């Protein structure tokens, strides 16, 4: 299970299995999304994601919302304007068609809300016992506006690390309705399309260095990836982390670190320190960035490592989750 | 199972469930691939396909070969030059990593052979009992050359229907090694990337009207779709169908119609009648079109219907398979 968790084991699988096997056919990064130069000034963002969340319906959303918003967000994190989505279903024999219909309706509504079109699809059915319910893959394409150069390698010492709002909400929402893990909390998933927020952010004219939506593996995984890719350190201030009470309670009950819990409607922005306030103002003016705040700084020390200053004045290492904390969270 | 078979039930699912549910977010066709106008003269082909073939390794190929060639071929059937592929895995917990490695190596080799790059990916893991082995989704993008207008609605009465070689081979190859269905035949899957053959065909300068790779549902499903989309009839001549002895034997044993058995390395071309010989010459000169021949004609009568002239001088209706004949063939 750990290999699918988005943490260290997932990274190992890519580095030690997929990349060597693909050989020269693979792009060197093979990341969440790729930016492709089509010539004539057209740069295309291309992204893929499969969704296996369990249960398929949860407070605040469904696998259908996630499938659209997740891929829209992967595209948005390269600064692209998302345009077209594919949708491929793998259904277990015996899937209730009304449930499939609800999922498809959620996808349609989410696509309309995000302004993207569902243009191509595929459906496969596997025999009973060879799947559970519905798995959805969406791939997406978008166009990267001229002049936008956002990428995980661009974090620089002195940059500010911003988050668009409360963390850990999606993960706790899904867990809260999973069999045997009822918390009695009323946490709803934060699933949302973030490209509008990204557009507001880019409209400031600030040279945004890195954007990332901290899904599987949470803020911890995203920041570790950025620290590694950019060969910089990241220093968080624990007391500045926006962790809602309900998320804090659920995490302490389960022994989880809110920094490692999935989000589906939040973004991390790494921007030049001197522009942090300007970007924060643009974020907080957007409906999806109302809770935006600065949570840390990019530092030259300890490259590849994320640390958090604790309330007591010490620091702790914020590791990449090793295996999976919360299986099938998206 | 029938809803995933590529036949009438699959078409119903798209028409009666997905299209209404997606509403205005859906492209009106929602087909195997879409051609998107990006402006500035750039037309992009975009396609998605999931692969759940069982077993994952079979004579002549594996799920890895299919995943690359299948999407390459979907793109090629719109006349596009395939460029980039995504690859998303859903693994069952406990999947043997050496098997995953073999699949990834097959994907790498197939991508190199087809000249496409694997640029973005995703891996999810589902718990044991919620999947069997490995499911792969690939989506692909390619660029449609200027002037190329290939589409399922362009078949016209008088057009010739050509096939690039023997039919039914992939389906029989997979069945032949499936538990309990051993034929003792040595049929190997025909999985292959067809964009080179398409390029050779387009290089003739002939106005190719329709291209289709007859995978799930076989030649019957592809021709029925073309007949419906173009509002024309199709008349096949049974004795002209290239059905290898081994496929014929396996089909009669199982009560299958070779016209409904999947192919993974063949294409149907619908071209103006007067250009048929020229296109056939180009096809037979290509390594993947050696067995090309004319199998029928587009007719004005019985629009939406495919018929075959039998050896006895009568005709029979070649229906769209209703449910699935051969589950999990790709």
């Amino acid at each position: 299970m750990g290999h699918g968790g988005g943490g260290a084991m997932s990274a190992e699988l890519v580095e030690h299995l997929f990349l060597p096997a693909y050989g020269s056919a693979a792009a060197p990064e093979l990341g969440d999304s790729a930016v492709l130069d089509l010539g004539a000034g057209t740069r295309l963002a291309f992204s893929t994601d499969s969704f296996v969340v369990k249960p398929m319906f949860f407070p605040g959303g469904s696998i259908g919302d996630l499938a659209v918003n997740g891929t829209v967000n992967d595209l948005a994190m390269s600064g692209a304007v998302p345009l077209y989505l594919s949708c491929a279903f793998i259904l277990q024999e015996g899937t209730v068609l009304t449930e499939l219909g609800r999922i498809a309706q959620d996808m349609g509504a989410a696509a309309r809300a995000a302004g993207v079109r569902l243009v191509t699809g595929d459906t496969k059915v596997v025999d009973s016992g060879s799947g559970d319910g519905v798995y959805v893959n969406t791939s997406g394409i978008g166009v990267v506006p001229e002049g936008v150069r956002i990428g995980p390698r661009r974090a620089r010492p002195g940059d500010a690390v911003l988050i668009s709002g409360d963390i850990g909400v999606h993960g706790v929402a899904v867990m809260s309705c999973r069999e045997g893990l009822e918390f009695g909390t009323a946490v709803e998933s934060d699933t949302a399309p973030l490209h509008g927020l990204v557009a507001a952010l880019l409209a400031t004219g600030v040279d945004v260095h890195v954007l990332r939506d901290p899904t599987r593996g949470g803020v911890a995984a995203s920041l570790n990836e950025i620290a590694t890719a950019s060969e910089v350190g990241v220093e968080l201030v624990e007391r500045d982390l926006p962790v809602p009470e309900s998320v804090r309670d659920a995490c302490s009950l389960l022994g989880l670190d809110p920094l490692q819990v999935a989000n589906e409607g939040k973004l991390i922005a790494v921007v030049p320190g001197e522009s942090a306030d300007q970007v924060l103002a643009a974020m907080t003016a957007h409906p999806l960035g109302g809770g935006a705040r600065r949570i840390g700084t990019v530092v030259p020390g300890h490259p590849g490592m994320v640390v958090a200053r604790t309330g007591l004045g010490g620091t702790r290492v914020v590791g990449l989750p090793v295996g999976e904390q919360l299986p099938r969270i998206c």
Side-chain angles (χ1 to χ4, degrees), chain A:
Chain A
M1 292 299 294
H3 287 110
M9 287 175 74
S10 292
E12 263 178 32
L13 203 61
V14 171
E15 190 178 339
H16 296 300
L17 192 145
F18 290 126
L19 281 177
Y22 294 160
S24 62
E29 301 203 353
L30 204 68
D32 281 349
S33 79
V35 174
L36 309 165
D37 200 330
L38 286 192
T42 305
R43 283 185 305 150
L44 212 65
F46 182 32
S47 176
T48 191
D49 233 334
S50 296
F51 297 85
V52 299
V53 63
K54 196 176 178 179
M56 298 190 289
F57 303 94
F58 46 80
S62 74
I63 190 171
D65 300 299
L66 287 192
V68 169
N69 292 336
T71 292
V72 162
N73 291 348
D74 276 348
L75 295 171
M77 294 308 122
S78 63
V81 178
L83 294 173
Y84 302 106
L85 255 53
S86 65
C87 36
F89 288 89
I90 297 175
L91 312 175
Q92 185 191 25
E93 191 183 15
T95 295
V96 180
L97 285 186
T98 51
E99 288 198 347
L100 182 60
R102 268 179 73 194
I103 293 168
Q105 263 164 5
D106 287 349
M107 292 183 74
R112 279 190 297 278
V116 295
R117 300 201 77 194
L118 305 166
V119 293
T120 180
D122 177 58
T123 307
K124 294 290 191 304
V125 180
V126 294
D127 31 312
S128 178
S130 301
D132 54 344
V134 177
Y135 303 148
V136 187
N137 175 281
T138 52
S139 299
I141 55 185
V143 170
V144 184
E146 219 184 307
V148 172
R149 304 269 163 199
I150 295 168
R153 299 182 173 182
R154 292 198 60 219
R156 293 286 169 272
D159 283 357
V161 179
L162 315 178
I163 185 94
S164 63
D166 285 346
I167 67 171
V169 180
H170 173 74
V172 168
V174 172
M175 275 191 300
S176 74
C177 67
R178 227 182 242 172
E179 210 177 2
L181 286 171
E182 301 276 349
F183 302 122
T185 54
V187 180
E188 295 211 334
S189 169
D190 55 349
T191 178
L194 294 168
H195 58 304
L197 179 58
V198 171
L201 221 137
L202 293 176
T204 60
V206 169
D207 178 20
V208 176
H209 289 169
V210 190
L211 290 176
R212 191 58 75 98
D213 59 329
T215 56
R216 280 186 297 176
V219 170
S222 292
L223 289 180
N224 270 280
E225 282 165 32
I226 293 168
T228 302
S230 295
E231 299 174 31
V232 294
V234 174
E235 196 173 295
L236 299 177
V237 179
E238 249 185 13
R239 68 163 184 277
D240 291 341
L241 293 170
V243 184
E245 184 101 10
S246 52
V247 171
R248 201 178 297 270
D249 289 351
C251 285
S252 54
L253 197 67
L254 291 166
L256 297 176
D257 182 346
L259 283 169
Q260 300 188 342
V261 176
N263 310 275
E264 289 289 340
K266 298 298 176 330
L267 63 78
I268 293 169
V270 179
V271 302
E274 66 274 16
S275 310
D277 289 340
Q278 192 188 348
V279 174
L280 272 177
M283 285 168 92
T284 48
H286 189 278
L288 292 174
R293 58 203 292 180
R294 178 173 182 157
I295 57 172
T297 305
V298 177
V299 297
H302 53 82
M305 191 180 282
V306 180
V307 301
R309 270 204 244 158
T310 65
L312 300 171
T315 57
R316 67 175 177 103
V317 172
V318 178
L320 193 60
V322 173
E324 110 297 336
Q325 286 198 318
L326 308 170
R328 302 185 61 176
I329 208 72
C330 62

